[in-house]
Amino acid sequence: MDQKNFFRLIFLIVTAGFIISFTSTNFPHAPTRLLNCTDSSSSSLCASRNFLFNKQQPRPNNPKPKTKNHDHVSDTPNHPLDPLTVVEINKVRSILSSHALFTSGTPHALHTVVLEEPDKNLVRHWEKGNPLPPRKASVIARVGPDTHVLTVDISTGRVDSENSPVSVSGYPMMTIEEMNAMTVAPFANADFNRTIISRGINLTDVICFPISCGWFGNKEENARVIKSQCFLTQGTPNFYMRPIEGLTILIDLDTKQVIEISDTGRAIPIPGSTNTDYRFEKLVTTDKTRLLNPISIEQPRGPSFVIEDNHLVKWANWEFHLKPDPRAGVVISRVRVHDPDTQETRDVMYKGFVSELFVPYMDPSDAWYFKTYMDAGEYGFGLQAMPLVPLNDCPRNAAYMDGVFAAADGTPFVRENMVCIFESYAGDIGWRHSESPITGIPIREVRPKVTLVVRMAASVGNYDYIIDYEFQTDGLIKAKVGLSGILMVKGTPYQNKNQVEKDKDGNEEELHGTLLSENVIGVIHDHYVTFYLDLDVDGPDNSFVKVNLKRQETEPGESPRKSYLKAVRNIAKTEKDGQIKLSLYDPSEFHVINSGKTTRVGNPTGYKVVPRTTAASLLDHDDPPQKRGAFTNNQIWVTPYNKSEQWAGGLFTYQSHGDDTLAVWSDRDRDIENKDIVVWYTLGFHHIPCQEDFPIMPTVSSSFDLKPVNFFERNPILRAAPNFEHDLPVCGVQSVSA
């Protein structure tokens, strides 16, 4: 090993020791501080402290945009649902530092520190100017081998324990410190280092990645463990395309010690680095005819939305509370819409967010069977959210919002530019009608469709998820999921399809995926994104109605027609009535109605869930991953509101047995008619990789809508104004020589 590589190895080992010691630091010895890091920092805890709202001049009477140097230290809560501030997180940390659980010297870590939201009824009736309900923090902590759920009253310092230590299966989501430690833990093991060196690979060219191991009842029993697999970084930043196939390391998450090394892939070559780099500066094209001219949306009068008190968004006829969350990513609450006819501001949804993401891979081999990720409950969807890139992730007219989270020792840190909010116009039409010349009526009426988008992007290892909540002026809310990033690939001896072995019947060997490049297989997998939707249509007492389209045969002599469709409405009485499997051949609409409020012609007001392209799990229900991911057995579930039932995979997802999931709760078959109900919707993707996904994926997306149904008395954007020439500037075009 040359001198340069020797010092790089020493750096890795020292870094590992630092991270391990940092994770087990006791609160009394850790300084009170806010981690503020520059973009060049190597710490994944940190992000720079910029809080960049758009740079246009604020409109009169609008709150001024945040300055670039906003550091959050002076933030104060203004709404019952505002996330914990830096001051409050530090106070929680101080309170816990003197609590008996944390003064015994037993290693401990805080896995979750978030606002303990006040009771829903208190929030619904709170008005601006009233005192805030008592501010409390919900804390999930590991102390030694035990998990504790604590509630900390920030004002009084009181700490309450709920069912502590926790006795149900599963563990809290990992901390960032643990994930960092797992990337270097293998290098502290001499057997691992010998394994790498024996393959003729430099240790300094290897990176290892922690992979949650699910639960299969063997090595995952009675120990908190993780598996790690490694990649070669030589020649490319896209190390995911260079797997060291068959090498799997089992590690104890608590001790950071390697338990077992499995090395079954020595005969499989490591794929090369050719054509794997995806960085712009490495791919500049010389074919100028293929380049697009830049495009941007300009708003000469400034944006139409405002963000009051850091978290309350108001735009057009909408208002809602918005906050980043370490597990869910983004939480949208108290969603209300202004009715242009009644001049009332009406309730639509109390709370909505991504509850869980389930990603099972379809390769049953030893190095792959356990890859069945729960990205929210295991890794923290919000913790993996990366700073958004202006002009590319979000347009020029976007405003940005930071996330303020707590590290494992309780120290607050900032995830900068985690969420963006912007108005979007893609040339879509809000409504239109033109009269035919044969009527003699010269009408051409068209209205542009402008929407408000709330966006975040999480890079959970190799995959990138883009989550959009789109608000339309006609009362519709669209939830959209985009998938991009890099495939998780498998090394193979094959360089061409013609090398794949066949049996005597001519059947090819099962590759469990697609040959994407030389020695690279993209493994088949699924993505399921389950949304929690606490709809409160005109108030909390709602019912779920399945409106089924049925074919009706006509009576003899009744009509020249033999059949027609009719709508059959069935109100769900209990939870099992609200378990829905979508089918093209059983077409239905799914309404959430308030039977206590009707339109002037007698229809109950409501919103409907409008599914788009989706996928259903085909795994056996007794397959261990599907037991844990049983919330994907249906595309729609309806449950009565229960504050403790928010995470579809259970509060403790990591290595859980599937005994505390949405499917378990729903099987209680509780009453849901005229109740405060929650709708759960799962948006699914089957992904059979193709060569266009190499070396990085173009974004694929799907969505669903929450659409008003008899909520308004008539078209709510009837009065919307068209665009006129004098409203929009005309930009000059610079001539370009051919």
Side-chain angles (χ1 to χ4, degrees):
M1 183 181 297
D2 59 29
Q3 186 180 41
K4 176 183 176 183
N5 285 338
F6 173 78
F7 283 114
R8 289 179 67 188
L9 177 58
I10 294 298
F11 172 77
L12 277 173
I13 295 172
V14 172
T15 303
F18 167 75
I19 294 173
I20 292 169
S21 64
F22 177 70
T23 304
S24 60
T25 300
N26 289 333
F27 298 131
H29 305 293
T32 299
R33 66 196 188 281
L34 171 65
L35 294 179
N36 283 320
C37 309
T38 64
D39 289 335
S40 61
S41 170
S42 61
S43 172
S44 62
L45 280 178
C46 300
S48 66
R49 57 200 178 112
N50 300 341
F51 192 97
L52 180 62
F53 276 71
N54 71 75
K55 297 179 181 179
Q56 297 183 18
Q57 291 298 315
R59 296 167 66 189
N61 302 320
N62 286 350
K64 292 183 178 180
K66 290 288 182 183
T67 63
K68 191 171 182 178
N69 294 320
H70 182 72
D71 61 6
H72 298 283
V73 173
S74 59
D75 285 349
T76 57
N78 297 286
H79 188 282
L81 298 178
D82 279 359
L84 296 177
T85 65
V86 167
V87 171
E88 289 175 323
I89 292 174
N90 276 324
K91 183 70 180 295
V92 170
R93 184 170 175 270
S94 176
I95 291 168
L96 293 179
S97 69
S98 58
H99 189 275
L101 268 176
F102 306 102
T103 57
S104 64
T106 304
H108 54 265
L110 304 184
H111 291 251
T112 300
V113 181
V114 294
L115 176 74
E116 174 70 24
E117 294 186 357
D119 288 343
K120 181 176 177 179
N121 198 45
L122 284 176
V123 177
R124 288 188 66 252
H125 291 95
W126 180 85
E127 295 182 357
K128 187 172 182 177
N130 292 345
L132 292 177
R135 298 279 288 176
K136 298 180 180 181
S138 176
V139 177
I140 297 176
R142 289 270 297 164
V143 182
D146 297 325
T147 300
H148 299 264
V149 179
L150 310 171
T151 301
V152 179
D153 190 311
I154 297 172
S155 298
T156 66
R158 178 188 173 102
V159 179
D160 292 323
S161 299
E162 181 181 343
N163 300 323
S164 293
V166 173
S167 58
V168 297
S169 71
Y171 300 104
M173 66 183 185
M174 290 180 287
T175 66
I176 291 182
E177 293 87 340
E178 287 176 329
M179 287 180 258
N180 283 345
M182 290 305 101
T183 65
V184 294
F187 296 93
N189 181 273
D191 290 337
F192 169 80
N193 291 338
R194 280 192 291 269
T195 298
I196 294 295
I197 293 170
S198 69
R199 287 180 177 238
I201 302 171
N202 288 330
L203 284 168
T204 50
D205 290 332
V206 174
I207 186 170
C208 295
F209 192 79
I211 300 172
S212 58
C213 58
W215 179 76
F216 296 88
N218 297 318
K219 294 183 177 67
E220 301 86 18
E221 192 69 60
N222 301 320
R224 198 167 68 105
V225 295
I226 196 166
K227 293 185 177 180
S228 183
Q229 292 185 330
C230 304
F231 306 82
L232 194 61
T233 63
Q234 186 182 40
T236 180
N238 191 354
F239 58 87
Y240 294 107
M241 292 296 125
R242 307 201 68 193
I244 304 175
E245 190 58 49
L247 179 59
T248 305
I249 307 100
L250 182 67
I251 307 172
D252 188 306
L253 262 171
D254 291 323
T255 66
K256 314 295 187 293
Q257 298 298 308
V258 172
I259 300 172
E260 180 181 277
I261 299 173
S262 174
D263 189 8
T264 60
R266 285 182 171 270
I268 301 174
I270 297 173
S273 62
T274 303
N275 295 326
T276 60
D277 202 331
Y278 49 84
R279 293 171 296 177
F280 178 73
E281 63 269 20
K282 302 296 182 180
L283 298 169
V284 176
T285 179
T286 58
D287 184 2
K288 294 183 179 180
T289 63
R290 299 293 182 181
L291 295 178
L292 295 175
N293 291 326
I295 187 170
S296 179
I297 295 176
E298 304 301 330
Q299 295 183 286
R301 299 181 186 176
S304 301
F305 68 93
V306 295
I307 303 175
E308 296 180 355
D309 297 329
N310 295 334
H311 295 283
L312 186 64
V313 181
K314 293 183 177 181
W315 174 78
N317 50 347
W318 286 104
E319 66 175 63
F320 55 89
H321 186 274
L322 173 64
K323 68 177 175 185
D325 182 87
R327 181 164 177 171
V330 172
V331 177
I332 295 176
S333 303
R334 299 295 286 130
V335 180
R336 296 188 286 180
V337 65
H338 182 73
D339 189 323
D341 285 318
T342 66
Q343 299 299 305
E344 295 178 303
T345 300
R346 300 167 62 186
D347 291 338
V348 174
M349 183 167 67
Y350 181 76
K351 191 175 184 180
F353 58 88
V354 171
S355 178
E356 191 53 84
L357 301 95
F358 177 41
V359 188
Y361 280 75
M362 304 302 167
D363 185 334
S365 64
D366 284 347
W368 280 81
Y369 75 90
F370 56 89
K371 295 178 182 178
T372 54
Y373 307 99
M374 300 281 190
D375 285 337
E378 294 177 338
Y379 291 91
F381 199 45
L383 292 180
Q384 307 307 314
M386 297 294 107
L388 295 165
V389 180
L391 301 184
N392 294 282
D393 276 324
C394 310
R396 188 191 305 277
N397 60 333
Y400 293 85
M401 185 176 292
D402 298 349
V404 178
F405 303 143
D409 71 343
T411 301
F413 68 93
V414 174
R415 179 71 78 213
E416 71 153 2
N417 292 0
M418 176 179 162
V419 183
C420 70
I421 308 100
F422 59 91
E423 288 166 281
S424 177
Y425 174 57
D428 294 329
I429 297 170
W431 65 262
R432 80 174 316 279
H433 181 65
S434 294
E435 271 300 332
S436 168
I438 64 174
T439 66
I441 305 174
I443 291 178
R444 285 188 298 168
E445 291 285 331
V446 187
R447 302 294 184 269
K449 178 184 284 188
V450 179
T451 63
L452 184 75
V453 180
V454 174
R455 173 172 295 167
M456 67 154 283
S459 298
V460 189
N462 54 303
Y463 250 102
D464 289 60
Y465 295 86
I466 304 105
I467 305 294
D468 284 357
Y469 295 96
E470 181 181 300
F471 294 83
Q472 299 184 7
T473 53
D474 60 2
L476 184 144
I477 305 171
K478 181 185 293 292
K480 182 178 178 182
V481 176
L483 306 179
S484 188
I486 300 171
L487 292 174
M488 181 165 282
V489 302
K490 179 179 182 177
T492 177
Y494 303 125
Q495 295 192 332
N496 192 285
K497 280 277 288 180
N498 60 22
Q499 297 174 321
V500 178
E501 296 181 2
K502 297 181 180 179
D503 62 20
K504 62 180 181 179
D505 297 321
N507 298 313
E508 285 188 348
E509 174 192 346
E510 177 61 73
L511 299 181
H512 306 293
T514 305
L515 188 66
L516 303 178
S517 184
E518 290 80 0
N519 306 116
V520 176
I521 291 173
V523 177
I524 296 169
H525 57 283
D526 286 348
H527 297 266
Y528 299 102
V529 185
T530 298
F531 287 80
Y532 172 102
L533 306 164
D534 181 6
L535 293 170
D536 279 5
V537 180
D538 278 327
D541 293 337
N542 291 171
S543 296
F544 181 75
V545 183
K546 182 179 180 182
V547 184
N548 193 217
L549 286 173
K550 295 289 187 181
R551 184 178 66 197
Q552 180 68 44
E553 307 292 339
T554 58
E555 297 293 335
E558 178 186 355
S559 170
R561 294 281 299 273
K562 290 186 176 182
S563 61
Y564 60 95
L565 297 184
K566 67 176 183 179
V568 179
R569 291 169 171 81
N570 293 295
I571 296 178
K573 304 293 184 182
T574 66
E575 288 177 275
K576 289 189 177 179
D577 297 331
Q579 296 177 1
I580 304 295
K581 288 180 171 63
L582 299 177
S583 171
L584 284 175
Y585 295 96
D586 183 24
S588 299
E589 290 192 353
F590 309 101
H591 297 191
V592 175
I593 65 166
N594 188 326
S595 58
K597 184 166 183 179
T598 59
T599 63
R600 70 177 187 275
V601 297
N603 292 313
T605 62
Y607 260 72
K608 63 181 177 181
V609 179
V610 184
R612 303 295 182 189
T613 303
T614 188
S617 176
L618 302 179
L619 294 179
D620 191 301
H621 285 194
D622 289 329
D623 195 350
Q626 193 61 27
K627 285 183 178 180
R628 300 176 67 232
F631 51 88
T632 64
N633 290 345
N634 299 304
Q635 287 74 57
I636 296 176
W637 309 72
V638 184
T639 61
Y641 172 80
N642 184 322
K643 188 178 180 181
S644 68
E645 296 176 1
Q646 296 192 77
W647 307 109
L651 179 61
F652 303 110
T653 305
Y654 198 92
Q655 287 179 233
S656 70
H657 302 178
D659 52 359
D660 183 35
T661 68
L662 169 58
V664 173
W665 311 331
S666 181
D667 278 345
R668 297 170 187 164
D669 207 22
R670 295 163 291 188
D671 292 338
I672 57 173
E673 184 178 10
N674 288 324
K675 302 287 185 183
D676 190 354
I677 58 175
V678 175
V679 176
W680 308 72
Y681 182 82
T682 295
L683 196 158
F685 301 79
H686 295 308
H687 191 171
I688 302 174
C690 59
Q691 285 188 243
E692 288 80 2
D693 294 332
F694 177 89
I696 194 164
M697 287 174 52
T699 299
V700 296
S701 61
S702 189
S703 64
F704 69 93
D705 296 340
L706 298 175
K707 187 178 187 300
V709 55
N710 302 316
F711 186 81
F712 298 105
E713 293 289 351
R714 56 177 177 167
N715 181 348
I717 55 172
L718 187 66
R719 301 184 182 91
N723 282 334
F724 297 99
E725 282 289 337
H726 62 263
D727 290 325
L728 302 169
V730 177
C731 300
V733 179
Q734 182 178 356
S735 61
V736 180
S737 58

